[in-house]
Amino acid sequence: MGVLLPLKKISDDRGHLCILEEGRDVPFPIKRVYYMYGARPDMPRGFHAHKKLRQMAVCVTGSCRMVLDDGKMRQDVMMGPSTGTVMIDARVWHEMHDFSPDCVLLVLASDVYDEADYIRDYEQFKQEIKNV
Ligand code: TYD
């Protein structure tokens, strides 16, 4: 299941410096980085799980609500610059809701983009996790 992890941060008079290092803060090789911005509060995103991909999400600015569902439990996580990172493991259904207009959601991923790794149908997701 996804978890909220503390984000390494060095703060001083000049502001905050946040750090994510492979093998230290990120438990997988970082093969891809992508980010979302300009999302709308009334236009949720996600609504899928991945078969193998592991991801870590950071809300760099603004806020949004992440829904994580491992088939047994559904969890709501409010995300913002100081709330830490959210680990989205393989076979976790995730949705992003309530984006603030200034939200920038950065995602580190363990592999390059592969549409074949997506499960976009919730019923199929329930079947797949039963078969593991
Ligand atoms: P998708 O993962 O479906 O985003 P969301 O679930 O937030 O709506 O991606 C949207 C589109 O972008 C989809 O056509 C796949 C494409 N895409 C890439 O080509 N490369 C990527 O790294 C990602 C994340 C998406």
Side-chain angles (χ1 to χ4, degrees):
M1 187 58 158
V3 279
L4 200 53
L5 302 168
L7 179 60
K8 214 188 278 170
K9 187 161 80 172
I10 298 173
S11 303
D12 59 31
D13 294 345
R14 298 168 297 171
H16 308 290
L17 173 71
C18 299
I19 305 151
L20 286 162
E21 291 179 282
E22 179 180 314
R24 291 182 172 166
D25 315 290
V26 185
F28 51 75
I30 304 164
K31 291 219 181 139
R32 177 167 48 121
V33 177
Y34 63 92
Y35 59 93
M36 281 157 260
Y37 70 98
R40 287 175 40 177
D42 57 339
M43 298 279 272
R45 304 192 60 133
F47 295 88
H48 61 253
H50 288 279
K51 293 173 188 167
K52 293 202 175 123
L53 190 74
R54 304 184 76 197
Q55 301 189 96
M56 199 172 237
V58 193
C59 185
V60 176
T61 192
S63 62
C64 67
R65 177 170 60 91
M66 178 91 74
V67 173
L68 299 156
D69 177 347
D70 65 0
K72 295 185 198 94
M73 205 173 85
R74 211 170 158 84
Q75 198 182 346
D76 268 60
V77 183
M78 281 311 297
M79 294 183 75
S82 57
T83 50
T85 59
V86 169
M87 184 68 207
I88 309 167
D89 256 314
R91 295 183 301 279
V92 173
W93 183 266
H94 50 285
E95 301 168 9
M96 286 83 79
H97 296 262
D98 305 337
F99 288 98
S100 66
D102 59 342
C103 181
V104 178
L105 188 63
L106 178 79
V107 184
L108 311 178
S110 65
D111 213 342
V112 294
Y113 172 73
D114 177 12
E115 185 58 38
D117 188 65
Y118 277 72
I119 308 167
R120 293 191 183 272
D121 178 77
Y122 190 75
E123 288 313 309
Q124 188 198 337
F125 162 69
K126 296 280 273 186
Q127 279 305 319
E128 295 248 354
I129 52 171
K130 245 191 240 171
N131 298 334
V132 172

